């Protein structure tokens, strides 16, 4: 029977519609499966990140000759992972006792010193709050308000639930670390394994684009984390130097506080602010509350101003030296982009989202350049 053009068009339309329905069903099933195995996917993504950071060291080790023989890839993988592990353990071994010592000193704080030192500043602060917010009442005291909030928190907290939650978290963390290290070993040992895994999920015609995107993304993310390490060390060094030479906080306290502020810079923009607030509070407690106070021999408010000046100076160096080096040169992203992306990430995933924002955005930008280069935005 002769088929009319209209009949032929209907068949083509029906075939296209069927393919579209099948694709939608497949995508829906894939999304549901990915949701249920999201922990495993998270381990794979973290392992890929570990691979990106460790690969340069592994490649360097494998290029070394010992008696005319190159180091095998599997041995280079083990040595590079071991080197990274030892660096992390060494840093923790050095810093954890230091932080513990500072915490122990703070725990021995003299309550009588608090009343003697901060009674006048607290009275001035309470008076300002009463004048500014009359609704709080003339007898408002901020110290009483803080104590009441802490008591409510302790009363409403179920100790058993907290202990159980901590136990589950530790067990889950141990499983996650083992899984990430196990997967990372094979990703590093076989550099083409992860790209092959990703390209197996896309059509053959996109194979080369995906591989190029993964290669460029890996390079940029690796450079970003190297730059971030430089920022953390530089920020910590400047604050340590300032607290040691200007605030006269002593080497142990200066190094501990400086390390803490440097570590907080991992979170873009808001991290240094949080670290600065914690640093000021710790310094005030160490100087005015501890049984053996240490610090520059000045009053309460002048000491706060000195601390803030040190932190602001370091922040200026970070804003005009470190951050342009990291954001503009390493990941080739404008600081305004980073600020907007950080705000979005904070709203979606909180602090963890802000930490992962820049690497994830870097990968998305590279992918968009490869596949959406003709789209104006």
């Amino acid at each position: 029977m002769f088929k009319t053009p209209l009949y032929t068009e209907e068949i083509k339309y029906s075939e296209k519609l069927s393919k579209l329905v099948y694709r939608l069903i497949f995508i829906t099933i894939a999304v549901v499966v990915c949701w249920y195995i999201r922990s495993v996917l998270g381990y794979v993504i973290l392992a890929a990140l570990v691979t990106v950071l460790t690969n340069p060291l592994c490649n360097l080790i494998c290029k070394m000759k010992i008696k005319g023989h190159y180091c095998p890839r599997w041995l280079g993988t083990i040595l590079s992972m071991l080197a990274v592990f030892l660096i992390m353990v060494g840093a923790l071994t050095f810093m954890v006792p230091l932080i513990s010592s500072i915490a122990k000193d703070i725990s021995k704080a003299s309550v009588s010193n608090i009343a003697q030192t901060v009674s006048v500043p607290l009275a001035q602060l309470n008076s300002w709050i009463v004048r500014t917010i009359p609704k709080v009442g003339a007898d408002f005291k901020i110290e009483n308000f803080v104590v009441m909030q802490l008591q409510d928190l302790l009363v409403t907290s179920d100790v058993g639930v907290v202990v159980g939650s901590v136990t589950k978290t530790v067990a889950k963390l141990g499983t996650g670390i083992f899984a990430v290290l196990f997967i990372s070993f094979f990703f590093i040992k076989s550099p083409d394994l992860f790209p092959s895994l990703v390209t197996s999920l896309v059509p053959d015609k996109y194979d080369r684009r995906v591989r190029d995107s993964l290669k460029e993304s890996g390079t940029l993310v690796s450079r970003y984390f190297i730059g971030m390490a430089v920022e953390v060390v530089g920020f910590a060094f400047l604050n340590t130097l300032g607290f040691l030479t200007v605030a006269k906080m002593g080497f142990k306290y200066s190094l501990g506080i400086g390390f803490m502020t440097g570590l907080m810079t991992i979170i873009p923009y808001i991290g240094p602010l949080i670290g600065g607030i914690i640093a000021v509070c710790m310094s005030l407690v160490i100087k005015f509350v501890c049984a053996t106070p240490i610090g520059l021999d000045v009053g309460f408010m002048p000491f706060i101003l000195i601390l803030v000046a040190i932190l602001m100076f370091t922040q200026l160096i970070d804003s005009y030296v470190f951050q342009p080096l990291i954001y503009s040169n390493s990941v080739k992203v404008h600081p305004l982009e980073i600020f907007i992306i950080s705000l979005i990430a904070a709203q979606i995933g909180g602090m963890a989202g802000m930490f992962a924002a820049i690497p994830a955005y870097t990968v998305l930008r590279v992918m968009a350049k490869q596949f959406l280069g003709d789209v104006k935005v």
Side-chain angles (χ1 to χ4, degrees):
M1 182 179 179
F2 179 71
K3 296 181 180 180
T4 63
L6 181 60
Y7 181 75
T8 305
E9 288 295 329
E10 288 179 355
I11 293 176
K12 290 182 179 180
Y13 177 76
S14 178
E15 290 177 351
K16 289 182 179 179
L17 184 60
S18 298
K19 288 182 179 180
L20 179 61
V21 171
Y22 289 142
R23 287 178 181 177
L24 289 175
I25 293 173
F26 175 78
I27 292 172
T28 303
I29 294 174
V31 169
V32 172
V33 171
C34 288
W35 173 257
Y36 278 103
I37 63 170
R38 58 188 182 275
S39 297
V40 178
L41 293 177
Y43 297 152
V44 173
I45 293 172
L46 288 175
L49 181 59
V50 172
T51 303
V52 167
L53 298 176
T54 313
N55 251 333
L57 180 58
C58 182
N59 293 335
L60 181 63
I61 293 174
C62 290
K63 290 179 181 178
M64 297 172 61
K65 275 187 177 183
I66 301 176
K67 295 183 178 180
H69 298 282
Y70 289 103
C71 178
R73 185 76 188 183
W74 63 268
L75 181 58
T77 301
I78 295 175
L79 292 176
S80 59
M81 293 182 69
L82 185 62
V84 173
F85 176 75
L86 290 177
I87 290 172
M88 294 178 62
V89 170
L92 290 175
T93 303
F94 175 72
M95 293 308 305
V96 168
L98 181 62
I99 300 298
S100 300
S101 176
I102 295 174
K104 185 177 180 180
D105 291 343
I106 292 176
S107 67
K108 298 178 180 178
S110 173
V111 178
S112 60
N113 288 346
I114 300 176
Q116 295 175 2
T117 305
V118 303
S119 57
V120 175
L122 276 178
Q124 295 174 349
L125 179 60
N126 289 327
S127 177
W128 179 82
I129 293 175
V130 170
R131 290 197 308 271
T132 307
I133 314 174
K135 292 183 180 180
V136 299
D139 58 345
F140 174 82
K141 291 184 178 180
I142 191 170
E143 58 270 31
N144 294 340
F145 175 77
V146 172
V147 170
M148 288 175 58
Q149 295 299 317
L150 291 175
Q151 288 176 344
D152 292 341
L153 179 63
L154 293 174
V155 170
T156 56
S157 299
D158 189 337
V159 177
V161 173
V162 172
V163 172
S165 177
V166 170
T167 304
K168 290 180 180 178
T169 302
V170 170
K172 189 175 181 181
L173 183 62
T175 303
I177 291 174
F178 175 78
V180 170
L181 293 177
F182 189 79
I183 298 171
S184 300
F185 172 79
F186 292 99
F187 281 174
I188 300 169
K189 179 177 174 292
S190 305
D192 197 52
L193 182 59
F194 182 71
S196 298
L197 179 66
V198 175
T199 53
S200 66
L201 304 175
V202 299
D204 291 339
K205 62 181 180 180
Y206 298 126
D207 188 284
R208 177 49 54 191
R209 287 187 178 184
V210 171
R211 288 181 180 274
D212 291 342
S213 299
L214 290 175
K215 184 178 180 180
E216 184 178 354
S217 299
T219 302
L220 292 177
V221 171
S222 178
R223 288 168 57 184
Y224 167 73
F225 277 104
I226 292 173
M228 179 60 68
V230 173
E231 181 183 20
V232 169
V233 173
F235 202 93
F237 173 76
L238 290 176
N239 276 336
T240 299
L241 193 62
F243 277 75
L244 180 64
T245 59
V246 180
K248 306 294 183 182
M249 292 297 296
F251 179 75
K252 179 177 74 172
Y253 298 116
S254 299
L255 183 60
I257 295 172
F259 173 78
M260 182 271 303
T261 57
L263 201 60
M264 292 301 296
T265 59
I266 293 175
I267 303 173
Y269 294 104
I270 194 173
L273 176 62
I274 298 173
I277 294 173
I278 297 174
V280 170
C281 294
M282 288 179 62
S283 301
L284 291 175
V285 170
I286 291 168
K287 175 171 172 56
F288 295 107
V289 179
C290 286
T292 55
I294 189 171
L296 193 64
D297 188 16
V298 293
F300 187 79
M301 290 306 297
F303 191 66
I304 292 180
L305 294 176
I306 291 171
L307 297 176
V308 171
I310 294 171
L311 294 168
M312 286 183 65
F313 174 78
T314 305
Q315 183 59 47
L316 288 174
I317 299 297
D318 181 62
S319 299
Y320 290 100
V321 179
F322 296 144
Q323 290 187 12
L325 176 68
I326 295 171
Y327 299 151
S328 299
N329 297 334
S330 61
V331 296
K332 301 177 182 178
V333 177
H334 193 279
L336 180 59
E337 286 182 80
I338 297 299
F339 181 72
I340 295 173
I341 293 301
S342 298
L343 292 178
I344 296 173
Q347 190 169 2
I348 295 173
M351 292 293 182
M354 294 186 72
F355 173 72
I358 299 177
Y361 180 60
T362 300
V363 175
L364 290 175
R365 286 178 78 250
V366 173
M367 291 291 183
K369 185 176 68 174
Q370 287 286 345
F371 294 97
L372 303 173
D374 55 339
V375 179
K376 186 176 180 179
V377 68

